[in-house]
């Protein structure tokens, strides 16, 4: 059967449809504008024009109820393509469309899009977890929504409201619920992306924006897992400077750390710890996570002053630590304090809590706790992950249960 794309109404773009059909090994063949796609041979008949969209909706329900077959025991932190993504558009009026769930796949964007030419883009990261009873829950999604709004304002972009953001996250997770790992085997990483998709030539905000959410099941971010990582303090490159965009989750912040990170990993280090750009002596953050130091049971972390991302895991760890009676200080933390600390750990959505086994600064290596996991970082890791996975009562009111 041959159909023109225009006649398919709300169907996704051809490349996205192609990717979805290919991943699900569907047959027999459907031809759309000289592209050949396979359709399901058992649960489908070849649809008519009026039935085509309904058929995809039926398959959406069927696919989300199945259990994916993955090697959960060896799940790393890499992209695993799932079934669906969320897409919403925003025009010059600043209002986002309702948005829709589409098959995961490539998107069409102009070569002159603001995100490609001027880096006008933001992203977020959060996770969904499966509880022991099989239900699924999110961890503090409204915090990510609020942070995206703050970042969008800095980057001259409109942003979805908190309600729109959280609803879109829920829709995307439920559409891909068969990809949420079993309890204790990982999580479903959720990547909201806001970008200037409208065409511009001169330097100016884009006339159109696209809000996308895709997901991927993930395991540990660092190959070491909860085992200590080894960091090197960067003395040549800087991640951010005062007045810049270091305090928001704009895409350019991450491209700029790739060179230093590549050099460090080539020397056997796990990642890079950056110092401030003014004095070259105060801790800022690791490439993609915040840093904490412990001395005499006092937990200290660099204060948020515009050059450091206000991490949601960072905020959560501070609140959990304080609830357990620890003294937590948010202030300038010097590299000398780092060298003399009893314990050091990183926090972030991807890493959760990652203990630091060693720091190398100006050629000198300092080890913590005989390469063991620090007592405090281990305690905080257990407390936070138990809450995130629903293993303990959520007295903080941070988790959001999804109705399946």
């Amino acid at each position: 059967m041959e159909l023109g794309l225009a006649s398919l109404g709300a169907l996704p773009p051809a490349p996205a449809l192609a990717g979805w059909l290919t991943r699900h090994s569907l047959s027999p063949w459907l031809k759309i504008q000289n592209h050949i796609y396979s359709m399901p041979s058992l649960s489908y008949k070849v649809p008519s024009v009026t039935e085509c969209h309904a058929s995809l909706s039926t398959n959406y329900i069927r696919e989300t109820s199945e259990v994916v077959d993955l090697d959960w025991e060896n799940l790393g932190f890499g992209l695993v393509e799932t079934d669906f993504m969320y897409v919403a558009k925003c025009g010059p009026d600043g209002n986002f469309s309702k948005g829709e769930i589409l098959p995961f796949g490539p998107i069409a964007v102009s070569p002159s899009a603001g995100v490609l030419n001027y880096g006008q883009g933001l992203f977020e990261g959060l996770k969904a977890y499966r509880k022991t009873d099989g239900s699924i829950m999110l961890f503090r999604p409204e915090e990510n929504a609020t942070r995206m709004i703050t970042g969008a304002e800095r980057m001259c972009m409109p942003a979805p409201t908190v309600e729109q953001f959280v609803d879109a996250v829920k829709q995307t997770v439920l559409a891909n619920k068969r990809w949420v790992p079993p309890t204790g085997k990982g999580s479903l990483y959720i990547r909201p992306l806001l970008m200037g998709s409208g065409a511009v030539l001169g330097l100016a905000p884009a006339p159109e924006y696209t809000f996308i959410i895709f997901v991927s099941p993930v395991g540990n971010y660092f190959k070491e897992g909860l085992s200590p990582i080894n960091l090197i303090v960067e003395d040549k490159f800087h991640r951010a400077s005062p007045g810049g965009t270091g305090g928001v989750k704009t895409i350019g912040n991450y491209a700029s750390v790739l060179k230093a990170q590549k050099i460090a990993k080539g020397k056997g280090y796990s990642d890079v710890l950056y110092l401030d750009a003014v004095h070259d002596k105060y801790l800022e953050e690791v490439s993609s996570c915040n840093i904490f130091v412990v001395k005499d049971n006092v937990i200290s972390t660099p204060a948020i002053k515009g050059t450091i991302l206000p991490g949601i895991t960072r905020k959560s760890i501070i609140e959990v630590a304080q609830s357990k009676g620890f003294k937590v200080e948010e202030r300038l933390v010097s590299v000398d304090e780092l060298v003399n600390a009893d314990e050091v750990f990183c926090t972030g959505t991807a890493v959760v809590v990652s203990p630091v086994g060693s720091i190398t600064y100006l050629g000198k290596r300092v080890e913590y706790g005989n390469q063991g996991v620090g007592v405090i970082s281990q305690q905080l890791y257990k407390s936070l992950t138990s809450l995130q996975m629903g293993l303990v009562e959520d007295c903080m009111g941070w988790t959001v249960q999804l109705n399946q």
Side-chain angles (χ1 to χ4, degrees), residues 154-210:
R154 176 64 178 84
M155 301 299 291
C156 286
M157 305 168 71
T161 65
V162 172
E163 293 74 17
Q164 287 175 318
F165 182 102
V166 173
D167 180 66
V169 167
K170 290 179 179 179
Q171 289 186 52
T172 311
V173 172
L174 289 176
N176 294 285
K177 65 183 180 182
R178 71 193 191 107
W179 296 90
V180 182
T183 305
K185 304 300 182 183
S187 57
L188 188 71
Y189 186 83
I190 306 162
R191 173 56 61 84
L193 175 65
L194 178 63
M195 63 180 181
S197 52
V200 291
L201 185 59
L203 179 59
E208 178 188 89
Y209 296 86
T210 302

Side-chain angles (χ1 to χ4, degrees), residues 222-277:
F222 291 117
K223 61 181 177 60
E224 296 89 344
L226 188 59
S227 299
I229 61 173
N230 301 300
L231 301 178
I232 183 170
V233 178
E234 178 57 49
D235 59 1
K236 180 180 179 182
F237 301 105
H238 291 99
R239 177 189 168 274
S241 59
T245 58
V248 299
K249 210 167 176 65
T250 181
I251 57 178
N253 289 348
Y254 296 85
S256 65
V257 306
L258 294 177
K259 184 175 180 63
Q261 187 185 65
K262 181 179 180 180
I263 294 171
K265 290 189 174 183
K267 296 178 179 179
Y269 298 103
S270 307
D271 214 327
V272 176
L273 173 59
Y274 290 91
L275 300 178
D276 75 288

Side-chain angles (χ1 to χ4, degrees), residues 97-316:
S97 62
K98 183 179 178 181
E100 56 185 336
I101 296 292
L102 298 174
F104 178 87
I107 59 172
V109 63
S110 169
S112 60
V115 67
L116 298 181
N117 291 264
Y118 301 118
Q120 199 181 22
L122 293 165
F123 72 90
E124 278 296 327
L126 63 158
K127 289 178 176 178
Y129 299 85
R130 191 180 297 279
K131 296 174 64 175
T132 53
D133 63 2
S135 61
I136 299 170
M137 60 185 190
L138 307 173
F139 184 72
R140 308 191 80 171
E142 72 289 341
E143 292 285 343
N144 294 89
T146 300
R147 189 169 65 180
M148 177 168 275
I149 291 171
T150 301
E153 192 278 330
R154 176 64 178 84
M155 301 299 291
C156 286
M157 305 168 71
T161 65
V162 172
E163 293 74 17
Q164 287 175 318
F165 182 102
V166 173
D167 180 66
V169 167
K170 290 179 179 179
Q171 289 186 52
T172 311
V173 172
L174 289 176
N176 294 285
K177 65 183 180 182
R178 71 193 191 107
W179 296 90
V180 182
T183 305
K185 304 300 182 183
S187 57
L188 188 71
Y189 186 83
I190 306 162
R191 173 56 61 84
L193 175 65
L194 178 63
M195 63 180 181
S197 52
V200 291
L201 185 59
L203 179 59
E208 178 188 89
Y209 296 86
T210 302
F211 177 51
I212 296 174
I213 303 178
F214 65 91
V215 298
S216 175
V218 297
N220 293 319
Y221 182 78
F222 291 117
K223 61 181 177 60
E224 296 89 344
L226 188 59
S227 299
I229 61 173
N230 301 300
L231 301 178
I232 183 170
V233 178
E234 178 57 49
D235 59 1
K236 180 180 179 182
F237 301 105
H238 291 99
R239 177 189 168 274
S241 59
T245 58
V248 299
K249 210 167 176 65
T250 181
I251 57 178
N253 289 348
Y254 296 85
S256 65
V257 306
L258 294 177
K259 184 175 180 63
Q261 187 185 65
K262 181 179 180 180
I263 294 171
K265 290 189 174 183
K267 296 178 179 179
Y269 298 103
S270 307
D271 214 327
V272 176
L273 173 59
Y274 290 91
L275 300 178
D276 75 288
V278 177
H279 304 97
D280 261 337
K281 64 178 288 188
Y282 297 109
L283 308 185
E284 295 251 298
E285 62 180 86
V286 182
S287 300
S288 58
C289 45
N290 297 111
I291 190 83
F292 287 76
V293 302
V294 181
K295 184 69 174 179
D296 299 328
N297 282 332
V298 176
I299 304 171
S300 301
T301 190
I304 302 297
K305 292 183 178 294
T307 57
I308 298 171
L309 187 73
I312 294 161
T313 307
R314 172 190 180 276
K315 179 179 181 179
S316 303

Side-chain angles (χ1 to χ4, degrees), residues 19-77:
W20 184 81
L21 292 170
T22 300
R23 283 196 305 280
H24 292 81
S25 302
L26 306 179
S27 63
W29 301 102
L30 172 64
K31 185 177 182 182
I32 303 177
Q33 283 191 350
N34 297 321
H35 295 278
I36 301 294
Y37 308 109
S38 55
M39 293 300 286
S41 57
L42 296 179
S43 58
Y44 280 83
K45 63 184 177 66
V46 178
S48 66
V49 173
T50 57
E51 293 171 325
C52 207
H53 185 243
S55 297
L56 280 175
S57 299
T58 302
N59 201 70
Y60 162 86
I61 297 172
R62 180 177 65 82
E63 289 298 331
T64 58
S65 65
E66 295 175 355
V67 177
V68 70
D69 182 21
L70 279 184
D71 182 3
W72 300 115
E73 299 296 335
N74 296 295
L75 188 61
F77 198 94

